[in-house]
């Protein structure tokens, strides 16, 4: 009966037109531009990029009715997602078997990671009405420094020139969910603006096995993006973003005498808040007919996270990041052979302060402010000559807390007359320890280690892409292989067996294959599929929370007049190893989580030029699964709403 109601809802659902009006739904996906792959700030077409990258366009986000950004990242090859509990719960992203803190997350070019934890919680990022996502895989520290061992995710809201207009959306559905979003954007003369905001509320569902407490959340995101171009060769840009999450949570049973010790249990009164402010201001000056570009920018992020239980606040931290960059890029050569040289200087300060209440222990967490300064010097060279594209980059980081580091990368690709493209790359990466690993403290269960060394990575990839039918079909496969040295892991030294981080003496290895396929035989049909096989081991032992096999399939069908569309999404997550703290010694026990397949189905219909309706079903077949040990998953859910656009 429930499924019948879902299908009935979809039968009357309707379509929202693509937010990015400039995107042609019939265009070749290989013509998509990516800007994250170069420090120059200039875009490169995916088909000419000799590296592994994926762009999720505003149109695709809209087609899949994306509300939580981490959900659509499941459609990117090499990417695995782990969410602890319900929407709003801590969400980690791993690329090609790397750790979650090995992935650099940018929001409109701003580094978004919480300095205390050393990574960005994707559970706090809800989708804006008009945005795109760029994902760059493989070692990218030579461009971006620490945090980019596994790759880079850049979430970009569209400007007023890219997606002008006014729109509002409201929806509701299962689990007491209500979501709204609005956007106002436009351009006039030398000025353009875009202001957008989203709110997502859900009462949630039980996340404990056999539990009854619904775990819900409230999530808010708002962005303002401004551009002023008073002259053809000068541009000022500014971005401000606010993010707030108030999410309930469940804890593990901490009673060693309980049969459910270490398992997730209903925990009334437990929740956390995460509030963040981000900002960026840049000035760009071009010369020599646009061939020489100089950009000076400054950015900041300010994150405050607090956790509460039934007795009040029990943990908290504040972290700030201030960064200034100067980038100079010079393009020269001919139409046949083009060169681009880019140099960059990055200065960055990270700081944090523990604001957790005192426990009275002499080993209590330090509550003063700690900071780290880093100066990065970057050089990049890019070459295009006929069917050949290549490049090299090198970066030197002078850090006042850790050893200075040099990282580098080389990459090349060649397109044959048969529309076959081969590409290869080799790179190195570095990840400095986060403040939590260095100074975190929890009485009797965790002690930080200030003597940790940075992790270092090296890896290579080789791939081939084949285009058919004038770009209407593209198949690709890439093999990758990486090695991580001095991996930071959690040890349990005797006699107290209190958890503490340490550097491994052995290497961690990751290798696998990514396969992609896209098909657009006619304008009304669009199909995309990806598959990743991964072997991630440390000294012969499988790394946790890294499924060996991941696959995704998306098929969208449009009506002839494109007023109606429907999208089928199928996502497969293979078997996962995880750890369970079900032993009173707190030494983890290895567990295996079964594979699962989720099916989503949505439909959209444009009633008029201004009004649209839409609906979707998530987890259509009501599959029961766990992404993280002992955290139950949601069942089938249905949502519907209306959108107005001017």
């Amino acid at each position: 009966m429930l499924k019948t109601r879902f299908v009935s809802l979809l039968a009357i659902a309707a379509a929202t037109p693509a937010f990015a009006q400039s995107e042609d739904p019939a265009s070749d996906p290989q013509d998509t531009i990516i800007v994250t792959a170069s420090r120059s700030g200039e875009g490169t077409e995916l088909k000419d990029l000799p590296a592994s990258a994926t762009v999720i366009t505003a149109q695709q986000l809209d087609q899949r009715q994306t509300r939580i950004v981490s959900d659509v990242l499941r459609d990117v090859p090499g990417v695995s997602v782990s969410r602890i509990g319900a929407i709003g719960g801590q969400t980690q992203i791993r690329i090609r078997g790397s750790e979650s803190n090995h992935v650099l997350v940018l929001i409109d070019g701003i580094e978004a990671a919480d300095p205390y934890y050393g990574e960005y919680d994707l559970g706090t990022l809800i989708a804006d009405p008009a945005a795109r996502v760029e994902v760059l895989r493989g070692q990218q520290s030579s461009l971006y420094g620490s945090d980019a061992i596994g790759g880079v995710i850049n979430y970009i809201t569209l400007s007023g020139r890219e997606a002008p207009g006014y729109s509002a959306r409201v929806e509701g559905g299962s689990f007491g969910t209500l979501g709204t979003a609005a956007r106002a954007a436009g351009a006039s003369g030398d000025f353009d603006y875009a202001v957008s905001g989203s709110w997502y509320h859900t009462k949630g569902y039980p996340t404990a096995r056999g539990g009854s407490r619904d775990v819900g959340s409230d999530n808010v995101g708002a962005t303002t993006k401004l551009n002023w171009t008073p002259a053809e060769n000068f541009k000022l840009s500014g971005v401000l973003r606010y993010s707030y999450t108030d999410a309930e949570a469940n804890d593990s049973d901490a009673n060693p005498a309980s049969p459910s010790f270490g398992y997730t249990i209903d925990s009334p009164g437990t929740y956390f808040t995460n509030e963040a402010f981000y900002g960026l201001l840049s000035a760009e000056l071009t010369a020599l007919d646009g061939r020489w570009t100089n950009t000076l920018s400054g950015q900041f992020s300010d994150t405050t996270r607090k956790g509460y239980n039934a007795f009040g606040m029990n943990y908290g931290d504040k972290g700030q990041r201030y960064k200034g960059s100067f980038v100079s890029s010079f393009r020269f050569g001919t139409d046949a052979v083009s060169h681009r040289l880019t140099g960059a200087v990055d200065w960055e300060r990270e700081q944090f302060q523990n604001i957790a209440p005192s426990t009275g222990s002499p080993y209590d967490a330090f509550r003063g402010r700690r900071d780290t300064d880093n100066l990065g010097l970057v050089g990049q060279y890019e070459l295009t000559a006929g069917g050949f594209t290549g490049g090299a980059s090198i970066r030197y980081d002078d850090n006042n807390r850790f050893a200075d580091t040099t990282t580098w990368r080389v990459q090349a690709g060649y397109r044959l007359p048969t529309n076959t493209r081969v590409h290869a790359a080799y790179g190195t990466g570095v990840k400095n320890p986060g403040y939590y690993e260095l100074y975190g403290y929890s009485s009797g269960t965790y002690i930080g280690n200030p003597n940790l060394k940075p992790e270092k990575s090296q890896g290579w990839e080789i791939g081939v892409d084949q285009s058919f039918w004038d770009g209407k079909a593209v198949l690709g496969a890439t093999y990758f292989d990486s090695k991580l040295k001095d991996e930071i892991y959690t040890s349990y030294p005797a006699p107290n067996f209190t958890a503490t981080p340490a550097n491994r003496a052995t290497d961690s290895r990751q290798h696998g294959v990514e396969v992609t396929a896209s098909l657009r035989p006619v304008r009304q049909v669009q199909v995309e599929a990806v598959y990743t096989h991964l072997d991630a081991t440390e000294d012969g032992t499988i790394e946790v929370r890294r499924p060996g096999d991941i696959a995704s399939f998306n098929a969208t069908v449009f009506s002839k007049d494109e007023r109606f569309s429907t999208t089928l999404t199928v996502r497969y997550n293979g078997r996962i190893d995880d750890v369970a703290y079900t032993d009173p010694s707190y030494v983890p026990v290895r567990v295996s989580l079964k594979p699962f397949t989720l099916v989503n189905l949505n439909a959209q219909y444009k009633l008029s030029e201004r009004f649209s309706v839409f609906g979707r079903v998530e987890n259509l077949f009501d599959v029961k699964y766990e992404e993280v040990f002992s955290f139950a998953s949601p069942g089938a859910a249905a949502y519907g709403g209306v959108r107005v656009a001017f």
Side-chain angles (χ1 to χ4, degrees), residues 375-461:
L375 178 67
L377 305 176
V378 181
Q380 184 180 17
Y381 169 70
E382 297 167 271
L383 168 67
T384 301
F388 177 83
T389 56
S393 54
I394 187 169
R395 180 181 176 111
Y396 174 76
D397 283 290
D398 184 341
N399 192 286
N400 72 337
R401 185 177 296 275
F402 306 107
D404 299 342
T405 306
T406 300
T407 53
W408 56 276
R409 180 181 175 91
V410 293
Q411 56 190 32
Y414 186 74
R415 184 172 298 278
L416 301 169
T418 57
N419 281 327
T420 304
R421 186 179 72 109
V422 293
H423 58 91
Y426 183 94
T428 64
V430 65
K431 168 58 181 174
N432 295 327
Y435 286 120
Y436 178 76
E437 295 167 322
L438 294 168
Y439 305 112
Y441 178 80
S442 180
S443 180
T445 59
Y446 184 88
I447 300 175
N449 180 1
N451 299 314
L452 291 171
K453 298 184 295 184
E455 300 168 292
K456 294 183 178 180
S457 173
Q458 59 186 30
W460 59 274
E461 65 178 61

Side-chain angles (χ1 to χ4, degrees), residues 68 83-91 121-126 199-205 207 213-220 244-251 267-275 304-309 314-315:
I68 309 300
R83 188 172 71 201
I84 299 177
I87 289 175
Q90 183 186 22
T91 304
D121 179 3
L122 266 293
T124 65
L125 183 60
I126 58 176
W199 172 61
Y200 194 92
H201 164 82
T202 178
K203 292 183 179 178
Y205 58 89
T207 62
R213 180 192 180 225
D214 288 337
V215 175
S217 65
D218 281 281
N219 302 269
V220 174
Y244 182 78
T245 296
D246 184 331
E248 295 174 320
N250 279 328
D251 291 330
S267 309
T270 299
Y271 69 99
F272 76 89
T273 63
N274 191 101
E275 186 174 38
T304 302
R305 194 175 182 100
K306 298 178 181 179
Y308 301 84
N309 58 25
N314 65 334
Y315 71 86

Side-chain angles (χ1 to χ4, degrees), residues 100 105 231 323 367 415 521 631:
S100 56
V105 177
K323 182 177 180 180
R367 282 173 178 72
R415 184 172 298 278
F631 282 91

